[in-house]
Amino acid sequence: LKMIGRLYTVLCTQNAQLALANQSLEERVAQRTHELETANARLRTLSRTDALLGIANRAYFNERLEQACGLARRQNRPVGLVMIDVDYFKRYNDHCGHQAGDACLQQVAHILAAGVQRAGELVARYGGEEFVLVLPGARLGDAQASAERIRAAVQAAAIAHPDSPLGPCVTVSLGFAADMPRLGEDPEWLLRAADAALYQAKAQGRNCCCASPPTELAA
């Protein structure tokens, strides 16, 4: 009986030790899984973010624009798009240097990001000194209001531009478009329309907002 008792005690001790070991292993696995998920989330964020400006990059913009147009088709809602260009940015870089130019773009990006007001909206760097704003559910009047708000906010920030023909501060030109996405249509149509409007804003003297020409949306 004493032998049986000792064996029982040994078995109980081994079972307790095994249970503790299993618990420790499960905790390590859970911790490692959490670390991997955190690392993957960080990598996804980095792949979608412009390294200099901390806002969405062009690749992620393309992805989100396609998603927004697909959802708009299903819900029978419009999509708005605003393209933004920093006026005379090359002259800013030439006069102030590229580091100052980077700092200028960071300030503009911060202003744009602060202006995102509704769920689903996205501001992204399109390339160089160009930015783009996706506005799900926005009609042309909504896109115009967003564009004018951005233009006024950048001007009010009074970022010094020593070599701008428009005045002492950085300004932006904006083109906007909005329409109902059509079945089978590439989202590029909306981008082309907003880009045409941006070209028109530059032609009209810059530091202004222009709507897409109707022919662009009808094309």
Side-chain angles (χ1 to χ4, degrees), residues 114-130:
V116 172
Q117 297 184 336
R118 299 178 183 176
E121 294 184 352
L122 177 78
V123 62
R125 186 182 191 182
Y126 190 70
E129 67 273 19
E130 284 192 335

Side-chain angles (χ1 to χ4, degrees), residues 40-165:
N40 286 334
R42 188 178 297 114
L43 285 173
R44 283 194 299 271
T45 299
L46 288 173
S47 70
R48 296 171 171 178
T49 303
D50 182 88
L52 174 64
L53 305 184
I55 59 175
N57 58 23
R58 183 167 176 173
Y60 189 45
F61 155 72
N62 290 335
E63 179 184 331
R64 286 287 296 275
L65 178 61
E66 188 166 348
Q67 291 173 355
C69 287
L71 183 61
R73 278 192 293 267
R74 292 192 295 273
Q75 297 180 342
N76 196 31
R77 301 173 64 206
V79 177
L81 196 69
V82 181
M83 292 205 68
I84 306 117
D85 184 79
V86 179
D87 294 328
Y88 297 107
F89 185 71
K90 183 180 185 304
R91 295 178 70 154
Y92 187 101
N93 262 343
D94 291 344
H95 190 277
C96 301
H98 290 286
Q99 286 188 331
D102 288 348
C104 172
L105 291 179
Q106 288 169 341
Q107 291 179 75
V108 173
H110 179 75
I111 294 168
L112 298 182
V116 172
Q117 297 184 336
R118 299 178 183 176
E121 294 184 352
L122 177 78
V123 62
R125 186 182 191 182
Y126 190 70
E129 67 273 19
E130 284 192 335
F131 300 84
V132 64
L133 178 62
V134 183
L135 302 168
R139 301 186 181 278
L140 194 64
D142 302 319
Q144 181 177 8
S146 293
E148 181 53 39
R149 186 171 59 249
I150 290 169
R151 189 204 64 77
V154 172
Q155 189 165 27
I159 304 167
H161 191 330
D163 197 33
S164 173

